[in-house]
Amino acid sequence: MNPAAPTALIAEDEPLLAAALQHELAKAWPELRVVATVGDGASAVREALRLAPDVLLLDIRMPGMSGLDAAAELADAWDLAAKPFPALAFVTAYDQYAVQAFEAQALDYVLKPVQPARLQKSVQKLRRALDQQAQAAINSEANKSNPLQATAEQLRQLLAALEPAAPTAALPVLRQLPVSPAGAAGNTIRMVPVSEVLFLQAADKYVRVVTASGEHLLRTPLKDLLPQLDADAFWQIHRATVVRADAIDTVQRDEAGKLQLHLRGCAEPLAVSRLYAHRFKAM
């Protein structure tokens, strides 16, 4: 076995489709070595971080964490000092709207059921991406971060494009949130003015609503709240976190290049995802 052969991870929740994809890949890219096949997004993140493959093929719809969310989480967690971010392709059932979204962001996709001709195009694109990474590493160590920055921006735009469109016509801007105080009995509801909210953070089945005076819980999903928040007043800094912009006190960059911000009136530091780091480009 050639130790220099490129490696790949496949994330696909339908075993027959995963097997068909691996079979066709073996024909289209004989030297590619599939080091893992997983069936959900959380496993894809775990195994990708453990194995550091050169190529990721992620089904966009899987139980729990989607392939898009898995890619976003990996973009945050990836250690660029150890290895460039993998070349990325998404596996999707044919959908004209989704395909247009992928093409608009120049992100590659593989259609299922697997179509050999389309897969061959993906293989060529993935090969080019690996060649460009290798050349960048030779030319300059500093260039290693550029592909991930571009990928993060593409993922952010793709996630926005593929989110179900909100009925923009009549959604009023939220003024108050009906919350349950953390630790209180389930029949206690308090109305918290949105003007008091420092940040909102998705956590399991709830959204944490954090104010200067305490923390509360809300059952409405964060993705449903976002269209009803004033986009100038609240900034998304992570798939799971939205902060009040005028409460931001400091933003710090660590040695790995990751951003963390602190809010006035709140001791808890908040991580800024690479997908939303564009808000702080001056750093």
Side-chain angles (χ1 to χ4, degrees):
M1 185 177 293
N2 180 4
T7 59
L9 179 146
I10 296 173
E12 167 59 64
D13 66 318
E14 299 181 52
L16 290 177
L17 285 172
L21 177 56
Q22 186 165 352
H23 177 73
E24 293 297 333
L25 269 175
K27 293 192 291 184
W29 197 350
E31 63 270 34
L32 183 70
R33 183 163 54 94
V34 176
V35 292
T37 302
V38 299
D40 61 88
S43 297
V45 171
R46 183 186 67 247
E47 292 303 291
L49 292 175
R50 182 176 73 87
L51 298 168
D54 300 298
V55 175
L56 290 173
L57 295 111
L58 306 175
D59 185 6
I60 62 169
R61 298 193 184 279
M62 292 184 287
M65 182 186 293
S66 72
L68 290 172
D69 286 334
E73 187 162 322
L74 281 168
D76 277 339
W78 198 262
D79 182 3
L80 283 174
K83 189 172 183 179
F85 192 69
L88 186 61
F90 290 98
V91 183
T92 179
Y94 180 77
D95 175 278
Q96 186 175 5
Y97 179 73
V99 166
Q100 288 174 346
F102 282 114
E103 290 178 343
Q105 297 309 319
L107 281 167
D108 202 27
Y109 60 93
V110 176
L111 295 176
K112 57 181 183 180
V114 180
Q115 302 174 9
R118 182 67 187 81
L119 181 61
Q120 187 63 55
K121 290 183 179 179
S122 295
V123 165
Q124 291 171 0
K125 195 169 182 179
L126 292 167
R127 281 178 180 270
R128 285 197 300 271
L130 294 184
D131 288 343
Q132 289 166 0
Q133 283 183 357
Q135 190 60 47
I138 293 170
N139 292 341
S140 170
E141 289 294 311
N143 284 341
K144 280 186 172 182
S145 62
N146 293 338
L148 180 52
Q149 291 170 2
T151 299
E153 176 63 16
Q154 289 169 322
L155 284 171
R156 185 178 66 82
Q157 296 286 353
L158 183 63
L159 285 162
L162 294 180
E163 286 286 354
T168 55
L171 283 180
V173 174
L174 285 172
R175 301 299 179 194
Q176 296 195 94
L177 297 175
V179 302
S180 300
N187 58 357
T188 302
I189 296 295
R190 179 189 168 195
M191 301 303 293
V192 170
V194 171
S195 59
E196 294 181 8
V197 174
L198 294 176
F199 71 91
L200 300 162
Q201 189 171 65
D204 296 325
K205 297 179 180 179
Y206 297 90
V207 168
R208 295 174 62 210
V209 180
V210 179
T211 67
S213 61
E215 180 175 327
H216 316 277
L217 298 176
L218 181 65
R219 287 186 176 271
T220 305
L222 185 61
K223 64 181 178 63
D224 292 343
L225 291 173
L226 280 171
Q228 299 182 72
L229 294 172
D230 181 344
D232 292 327
F234 286 91
W235 291 0
Q236 187 161 16
I237 62 163
H238 191 280
R239 285 282 283 167
T241 311
V242 177
V243 303
R244 171 175 289 284
D246 63 11
I248 298 173
D249 184 30
T250 60
V251 184
Q252 298 175 320
R253 186 184 297 276
D254 65 17
E255 293 180 356
K258 295 182 180 180
L259 298 178
Q260 192 174 74
L261 61 78
H262 296 263
L263 304 177
R264 285 181 286 274
C266 178
E268 182 177 346
L270 298 172
V272 179
S273 164
R274 280 176 169 143
L275 270 68
Y276 299 96
H278 64 287
R279 290 193 178 276
F280 308 98
K281 277 184 178 178
M283 298 190 65

